[in-house]
Amino acid sequence: EEELKGVIDLYKTSNPDYEQEKDMLQSILQLNDITVEEIFTHRKNIFSIDSASETKDIIEKINRSRYTRIPFWKDNPENIIGLLNVRSLDIDLENHEKSKQKIFSKINKPWFIPETTNLLEQLVEFKKRKEHLAFVIDEFGELLGLITLEDIIEEIVGEIVDEIDAPENNFDFNNSGKLIIS
């Protein structure tokens, strides 16, 4: 590993794209030294839904959410009982108990990982399990937060701005429907 780091450091180029590649290669080598507790999303910042909510409220929260994976909790927000992949809901939800049953039938068992897991191990596990999100717990089983595949990829390639992230530019449409960037 040290030899690889040395070779990457010695690699010099005038092309700025190669500098970015160099940084990415160095980041990959550092994944083994970083734990999930260093980059996870804290529990107070997790968007989640109370499983005891009324059907109407659950549907409204799902529709308002920008997330594709939504944790559900019971009794208190730190007691995660499952994870809903919104894309698995191939139904039109209506305000009745049958919709709530359909939603809960699509909720998957949560995956809990220790806070001491390093990012390389977690990346391999995400790939092996074909998962994109795990809940981080401490040695007592208390929920600390969550980590996503995107979090680890961002450690390698840098910040990724997607539909969840707040855009830096403000977009608007004029009266004729044309996009205005301000």
Side-chain angles (χ1 to χ4, degrees), residues 43-89:
R43 67 180 175 233
K44 70 179 181 190
N45 297 323
I46 296 175
F47 174 84
S48 60
I49 297 176
D50 181 357
S51 62
S53 297
E54 296 289 322
T55 306
K56 165 180 82 108
D57 295 332
I58 291 173
I59 293 169
E60 185 178 305
K61 286 179 182 179
I62 290 171
N63 288 333
R64 274 198 338 245
S65 169
R66 302 174 303 167
Y67 301 103
T68 56
R69 290 171 182 81
I70 302 174
F72 275 72
W73 54 272
K74 183 178 184 179
D75 300 328
N76 79 63
E78 295 175 18
N79 182 27
I80 303 295
I81 60 166
L83 185 68
L84 173 69
N85 184 338
V86 175
R87 290 179 286 197
S88 70
L89 292 174

Side-chain angles (χ1 to χ4, degrees), residues 58 82 85-86 99 112 126 163 180:
I58 291 173
N85 184 338
V86 175
S99 288
F112 297 98
F126 274 141
E163 63 276 1
I180 302 169

Side-chain angles (χ1 to χ4, degrees), residues 88-101:
S88 70
L89 292 174
D90 55 354
I91 54 173
D92 288 332
L93 299 175
E94 296 176 21
N95 186 16
H96 53 69
E97 223 33 53
K98 198 172 182 182
S99 288
K100 190 170 185 176
Q101 291 169 353

Side-chain angles (χ1 to χ4, degrees), residues 20 150-151 153-162 164-166 168:
Q20 188 176 9
E150 181 180 339
D151 294 332
I153 292 171
E154 285 181 340
E155 280 298 305
I156 298 168
V157 302
E159 190 68 28
I160 300 170
V161 178
D162 60 15
I164 302 302
D165 300 320
E168 289 183 19

